[in-house]
Amino acid sequence: MTSWPLDFFSSTPAFAPVLPYLQRFSQAPLHADWLTVSEPIQTQGGAKIQFVDPDSITEYYELEIYQKGRVATRLNWHDTFNATIWQAYPKTKVALNALHFKAMQADPDSKIRGPVRDAATLFDECGLILPYSRPALLELMVAHQWQTLFVDEAKAWGQEISAFVFGHATLENLLQPFVGLTGKCWPIQVDTDFFCA
């Protein structure tokens, strides 16, 4: 991991949801540093979340989280952003972990993820939450009408449509963006007053 680029995080809108957690550090955080960041997060299995060295876990990744609260966390950008997403969206991360756990319990002998766990993993890694109040804007996205959506409708962003990066792999990729960088979008229709909150 290179230097801790707080100026970059602060000036890049995609990092806004996790910025309050990134700003608590002046350098890349270690495992123990995450214990000081937020209120305790508890899994649906009743365990308190902690970020630990991957070599210390004894169960499959999602099982270790659900049963023991131990999130295998390498000291790299990918896992650091995963830890920040746990802070910014704890209920969603807990729900995704429970989804994995329940799918694994339904077929405990299977080592294959299957469509439910694949979808959960794709959203976890590269998901975007897309609240919108005007359906025509979503239709522009579905139809790949990028010029209209992003240029002609520029004033609608933040007023009638927005995008929140949830995927920690997406945050990592935004450190060095490239043509073709995409996310898995979860559109959610909201009332217009959502954008005033």
Side-chain angles (χ1 to χ4, degrees):
M1 202 180 284
T2 57
S3 63
W4 195 243
L6 272 181
D7 288 342
F8 173 77
F9 296 148
S10 299
S11 64
T12 307
F15 290 90
V18 296
L19 187 59
Y21 307 102
L22 295 170
Q23 287 176 325
R24 294 182 186 216
F25 305 112
S26 58
Q27 60 187 16
L30 302 175
H31 297 112
D33 295 331
W34 290 108
L35 297 174
T36 66
V37 174
S38 70
E39 296 296 319
I41 302 165
Q42 186 170 316
T43 70
Q44 288 186 18
K48 288 186 181 175
I49 292 296
Q50 55 185 307
F51 302 96
V52 301
D53 188 314
D55 292 337
S56 71
I57 67 168
T58 58
E59 299 285 343
Y60 190 79
Y61 181 79
E62 284 90 358
L63 292 177
E64 185 90 8
I65 295 171
Y66 187 89
Q67 296 170 336
K68 300 177 183 177
R70 295 165 51 82
V71 181
T73 306
R74 298 162 297 178
L75 300 179
N76 62 18
W77 284 118
H78 187 86
D79 288 1
T80 294
F81 290 134
N82 184 44
T84 62
I85 295 294
W86 271 99
Q87 307 300 317
Y89 299 101
K91 291 179 182 179
T92 307
K93 290 290 277 188
V94 165
L96 281 172
N97 175 249
L99 186 100
H100 277 285
F101 180 78
K102 289 172 186 164
M104 293 171 81
Q105 297 309 298
D107 189 4
D109 295 327
S110 176
K111 300 295 181 193
I112 300 171
R113 283 184 187 259
V116 171
R117 293 188 60 223
D118 281 348
T121 299
L122 284 171
F123 183 70
D124 190 40
E125 292 286 338
C126 54
L128 294 170
I129 302 165
L130 190 87
Y132 67 95
S133 60
R134 182 162 41 114
L137 295 170
L138 181 63
E139 291 168 15
L140 290 171
M141 187 193 72
V142 171
H144 298 181
Q145 297 298 311
W146 310 127
Q147 174 73 25
T148 305
L149 180 62
F150 292 113
V151 178
D152 301 344
E153 292 284 0
K155 290 183 180 179
W157 286 90
Q159 304 296 317
E160 298 174 283
I161 191 169
S162 192
F164 299 98
V165 175
F166 180 85
H168 54 280
T170 299
L171 291 175
E172 179 185 20
N173 286 328
L174 286 170
L175 294 172
Q176 294 183 319
F178 54 89
V179 173
L181 174 57
T182 59
K184 307 303 180 192
C185 180
W186 185 351
I188 302 172
Q189 188 164 8
V190 297
D191 294 329
T192 306
D193 60 2
F194 171 86
F195 299 100
C196 299

